Amino acid sequence: MSRVGKYPVKVPSGVTITLEDRTVVAKGKLGELRLPVTEKVDITIENGEVAVAPRGDDRAARTMWGTTRSLINSMVTGVSTGFTKSMEITGTGYRAAVQGKELVLNLGYSHEIRYAIPEGIKITTERPTAIKVEGADKQRVGQVAAEIRAYRGPEPYKGKGIKYDNETILRKEGKKK
């Protein structure tokens, strides 16, 4: 069984954490994040640390104990340093560019795909085949990256498509004569 919940979350300098009506609010240089907290856990903020404790000994309380601690840790990291997902585009003629508040993707379809960049997310393209998604909210950064990847996921024969930088594509052998 995991014991993630018993470790307190250290709050770095430049980040303030407050508790307002069962909502944890983290403010830092990259913005403000809010987390509604369940009734199954208690949260205490003291000496630059956030401690989470289960309210009972039942399974649901112990489950939410570690989950809440991890979510608060992600909030603190997000408002202080932020999260990044890098992606690569592989394929002849496949490219990406940021135009205003839209990401324009050419992925071999008969039309270009225009993806509206959500509020709180920053997308950059250092070169036409590299996309970097940045933001304070870990879940939103991952969701935006997954939505972009879903337009043309990597295929196993030639490896064409959009893949994460740290992802390895299992390649298949083609047809034999």
Side-chain angles (χ1 to χ4, degrees):
M1 183 185 324
S2 176
R3 300 277 188 244
V4 171
K6 71 179 181 180
Y7 300 108
V9 178
K10 295 191 183 345
V11 180
S13 61
V15 176
T16 58
I17 297 264
T18 55
L19 188 61
E20 307 170 354
D21 286 348
R22 306 293 304 162
T23 301
V24 177
V25 181
K27 293 180 186 175
K29 65 179 181 182
L30 296 179
E32 175 183 316
L33 293 176
R34 297 178 166 272
L35 174 70
V37 180
T38 180
E39 295 290 329
K40 302 207 179 276
V41 294
D42 288 324
I43 295 176
T44 56
I45 303 167
E46 55 190 31
N47 299 333
E49 290 184 339
V50 180
V52 182
R55 270 217 175 139
D57 212 20
D58 59 323
R59 186 181 180 103
R62 293 187 63 78
T63 303
M64 291 310 296
W65 179 29
T67 302
T68 304
R69 190 259 180 216
S70 292
L71 291 172
I72 291 171
N73 189 41
S74 292
M75 285 174 49
V76 169
T77 306
V79 296
S80 61
T81 59
F83 292 99
T84 303
K85 284 271 190 182
S86 297
M87 297 184 286
E88 289 180 6
I89 302 175
T90 307
T92 307
Y94 291 11
R95 62 185 178 276
V98 176
Q99 293 177 357
K101 295 210 177 268
E102 287 185 325
L103 175 68
V104 180
L105 300 165
N106 291 325
L107 299 173
Y109 297 117
S110 61
H111 59 285
E112 60 186 22
I113 297 165
R114 296 188 163 271
Y115 181 80
I117 300 172
E119 200 66 36
I121 298 292
K122 180 182 168 198
I123 297 179
T124 55
T125 53
E126 291 120 23
R127 52 185 200 277
T129 59
I131 303 171
K132 186 185 273 187
V133 182
E134 299 172 302
D137 190 350
K138 186 175 188 176
Q139 191 274 331
R140 288 188 68 205
V141 168
Q143 182 66 38
V144 168
E147 288 172 3
I148 292 169
R149 183 182 183 274
Y151 285 121
R152 177 76 85 171
E155 54 95 15
Y157 295 102
K158 292 184 179 178
K160 292 167 58 170
I162 303 174
K163 72 176 189 80
Y164 299 116
D165 269 354
N166 58 357
E167 182 180 16
T168 56
I169 306 301
L170 294 175
R171 300 293 289 272
K172 292 183 180 178
E173 192 175 346
K175 287 198 292 188
K176 300 214 171 156
K177 286 191 176 188

